[in-house]
Amino acid sequence: MAEYSFFSLLKNAWNGNRDWKPAWSKAEPKTDYDVIIVGGGGHGLATAYYLAKEHGITNVAVLEKGWLGSGNIGRNTTIVRSNYLLPESIRFYDFSVKLWEELAHDLNYNVMFSQRGILNLAHSPAQADDYIRRGNAMLHGGGDAEWLTPGEIAKKVPGVDLSKSARFPVVGGLLQPRAGTARHDAVAWGYARGADRRGVDIVENCEVTGFLREGDRVVGVKSTRGEIRAKKIAVAVAGSTGRVMKLAGIDALPIESHVLQAFVTESLKPFVDTVVTFGGGHLYMSQSDKGSLVFGGDLDGYNSYAQRGNLPVVEEVMSEMVALFPGLARVRLLRSWGGVMDMSMDGSPIITTGPLPGMYLNSGWCYGGFKATPASGWTFAWTIAKDAPHAINAPFTLERFHRGALIDEKGQGATPKLH
Amino acid sequence: MLITCPYCGPRDLAEFSYQGDANRPRPDQHDTDQARWNAYVYDRSNPAGPHREYWQHAGGCRKHLLIVRSTLTHAIESVAFAGAQGATPRPARRSPKSRTKTGPAKGKKP
Ligand SMILES: Cc1cc2nc3c(=O)[nH]c(=O)nc-3n(C[C@H](O)[C@H](O)[C@H](O)COP(=O)(O)OP(=O)(O)OC[C@H]3O[C@@H](n4cnc5c(N)ncnc54)[C@H](O)[C@@H]3O)c2cc1C
Ligand SMILES: [Zn+2]
């Protein structure tokens, strides 16, 4: 019987819920592993899970400096989508959506993946052309995309200001029906439990403070819980990439750390049943199962490792929200917070062997690493197990920046503000 | 976050636009070494702590500024005009009134 099922729920309800095991155990670090994963965010935990499940590598430790879910995996706006233009991105993110579709079954954990669709609103004929081109690329790559007229948008999202007098009138929208949202911390907990049950050690409150070297080779880590050796050391620390890689003597990377804020309102009755994005500025919004509107906008825009932002962005995001949904003007904001983003110079991630022998790097997730969690873990596990990338992540190297083989969705050139 | 512009005094963050990392020396324009240009365009030191960076007082005097700011706390250590001579810091001025006279460049006809 699966650990979580209708029958196990009944049985435990009968027993006063005394027999549940903790979802993962608080492991003490051993002195030696086959693989150490630095960073217990979504990507680190998913990597550990797929290493165990797909490759039978279970002598693995995930070292997390805080508690599970304290990083961006617990701070994001939970949007899952694969509405990309370039073939490399479409292949990677569509693979991720396919893993999402089976994830709750695979993990035997309800990650509340809800394919409610994402609607990108366009506000000028040029933007509409651009979105339609992207929609065609998505269809061509085997994905799903639909173009909605303002009339169709009025039916789907009644709250949107579709009047001609809007500051940025809506001319249409690109819908990806298979996109949606998921419960972010359930994803961390589900992967943690799946990895734990397969023998992985999940070590919390264990900060990596240095790397053990034998010549060029990385052979272990120094941590706040002692020295730990391993044949392979994988780094998946998202916004902390710069800091952690400096410990290994890598002083420069095509990455900057920036702060991104998110916001939730008080709970409302069902108001919007899809993810909506505003193309006149930068805003994305959905409604959680509790009824809160969950939304965010642009980066604050300056380098930051502080997990908090400043007021100009708060003001800007609120004004965009009210421009798009005038009816929300008097809704109260409950909370806001910030997370540190690993912004790569072309807006695409890095999943690769190296840059030092014995090391593996997973980084550069920008605004969009939550949706990538399953595919990132799956391909990173493959890369670690086989010492070579899978075809799906082969384009996402570190050298691509120096070879001119960028994966630059917007064709915008080197800037750490893409996604 | 308040930034004390050496010209205008303390002003709200909203008036400034960020221009990025000031730690990267731009290679000489006649330099044809690809590795140096690649490093200049793509690689960042991305420190957690004091960071030398450019800002522009876009909603004010429009001067470009060289600022040292902590990326951990956002606290600003120093603000100076970003000058051609590698931006030597100048003392902050209290108000626009005390500025030195520099009239528009002469002799240029449209
Ligand atoms: C406000 C906000 C909104 C977002 N919205 C979306 C969205 O809607 N859709 C989407 O797809 N993505 C979104 N993202 C991006 C997404 O959350 C991230 O890209 C993704 O979570 C990063 O991967 P991760 O889960 O592994 O990161 P994290 O959860 O940050 O994991 C990294 C972990 O490494 C640990 N660590 C750091 N240094 C050390 C050390 N020295 N030793 C040990 N451990 C260390 C950290 O404590 C952390 O737990 C958003 C991000 C933010 C901040
Ligand atoms: Zn000024």
Side-chain angles (χ1 to χ4, degrees), chain A residues 242-243 246 251-258 301-306 308 310 312 345 401-402 406 414 417, chain B residues 1 12-14 18 21 34-35 38-39 41-48 51 53 55 69 71-74:
Chain A
R243 296 174 90 169
K246 271 197 182 53
D251 285 327
L253 285 168
I255 289 176
E256 283 188 9
S257 294
H258 283 254
Y302 41 82
N303 293 53
S304 175
Y305 283 89
R308 61 189 158 77
N310 272 293
M345 296 301 282
F401 296 94
H402 287 198
L406 304 191
K417 293 183 181 170
Chain B
M1 206 154 111
D12 188 79
L13 174 63
Y18 189 57
D21 189 327
Q34 206 174 326
N38 278 332
V41 174
Y42 295 110
D43 293 344
R44 300 290 189 271
S45 57
N46 195 24
H51 188 232
E53 56 197 28
W55 291 75
R69 184 186 57 97
T71 58
L72 285 167
T73 61
H74 299 165

Side-chain angles (χ1 to χ4, degrees), chain A residues 157-184:
Chain A
V157 195
V160 175
D161 182 1
L162 291 164
S163 64
K164 289 270 183 301
S165 60
R167 173 68 183 80
F168 297 100
V170 174
V171 302
L174 179 67
L175 177 73
Q176 185 188 20
R178 281 161 65 241
T181 58
R183 172 77 196 271
H184 50 5

Side-chain angles (χ1 to χ4, degrees), chain A residues 32-62:
Chain A
D32 243 300
Y33 288 95
D34 289 337
V35 179
I36 287 175
I37 297 166
V38 185
H43 294 209
L45 294 165
T47 304
Y49 173 76
Y50 292 114
L51 271 175
K53 181 181 174 233
E54 303 289 337
H55 306 281
I57 301 174
T58 57
N59 185 20
V60 175
V62 178

Side-chain angles (χ1 to χ4, degrees), chain A residues 304-325:
Chain A
S304 175
Y305 283 89
Q307 291 183 106
R308 61 189 158 77
N310 272 293
L311 290 171
V313 165
V314 179
E315 198 178 356
E316 186 184 311
V317 171
M318 298 310 138
S319 61
E320 291 183 8
M321 167 113 141
V322 175
L324 195 58
F325 297 101

Side-chain angles (χ1 to χ4, degrees), chain A residues 233-374:
Chain A
I233 320 281
V235 176
V237 293
S240 302
T241 303
R243 296 174 90 169
V244 171
M245 294 304 281
K246 271 197 182 53
L247 301 174
I250 309 283
D251 285 327
L253 285 168
I255 289 176
E256 283 188 9
S257 294
H258 283 254
V259 58
L260 179 68
Q261 304 190 57
F263 310 88
V264 294
T265 66
E266 58 188 325
S267 293
L268 305 177
K269 288 185 177 171
F271 174 73
V272 51
D273 64 358
T274 183
V275 182
V276 183
T277 75
F278 174 54
H282 191 197
L283 174 87
Y284 34 92
M285 191 189 83
S286 64
Q287 189 168 18
S288 76
D289 294 340
K290 278 191 292 187
S292 317
L293 299 172
V294 180
F295 58 106
D298 259 332
L299 298 172
D300 268 44
Y302 41 82
N303 293 53
S304 175
Y305 283 89
Q307 291 183 106
R308 61 189 158 77
N310 272 293
L311 290 171
V313 165
V314 179
E315 198 178 356
E316 186 184 311
V317 171
M318 298 310 138
S319 61
E320 291 183 8
M321 167 113 141
V322 175
L324 195 58
F325 297 101
L328 294 178
R330 302 186 61 180
V331 171
R332 276 165 298 191
L333 195 66
L334 278 195
R335 278 178 290 131
S336 73
W337 62 90
V340 182
M341 322 284 291
D342 35 336
M343 303 302 299
S344 69
M345 296 301 282
D346 64 355
S348 295
I350 295 155
I351 311 172
T352 183
T353 54
L356 297 171
M359 198 182 226
Y360 304 79
L361 179 64
N362 175 312
S363 181
W365 291 103
C366 305
Y367 289 65
F370 178 65
K371 62 177 176 290
T373 306

Side-chain angles (χ1 to χ4, degrees), chain A residues 87-162:
Chain A
E88 295 88 348
S89 317
I90 292 176
R91 206 181 328 142
F92 180 80
Y93 288 107
D94 231 38
F95 176 58
S96 206
V97 170
K98 285 184 183 133
L99 291 174
W100 276 110
E101 285 169 337
E102 289 305 317
L103 194 59
H105 280 139
D106 187 28
L107 294 175
N108 175 231
Y109 202 100
N110 187 2
V111 295
M112 296 165 79
F113 180 47
S114 156
Q115 290 179 293
R116 58 185 65 186
I118 187 168
L119 177 63
N120 300 139
L121 297 176
H123 306 263
S124 70
Q127 197 172 31
D129 287 349
D130 182 45
Y131 283 10
I132 290 169
R133 171 173 177 239
R134 181 147 55 83
N136 283 331
M138 288 155 65
L139 293 174
H140 193 63
D144 60 323
E146 283 171 34
W147 182 252
L148 302 191
T149 62
E152 290 165 323
I153 293 168
K155 284 202 206 99
K156 193 165 173 61
V157 195
V160 175
D161 182 1
L162 291 164

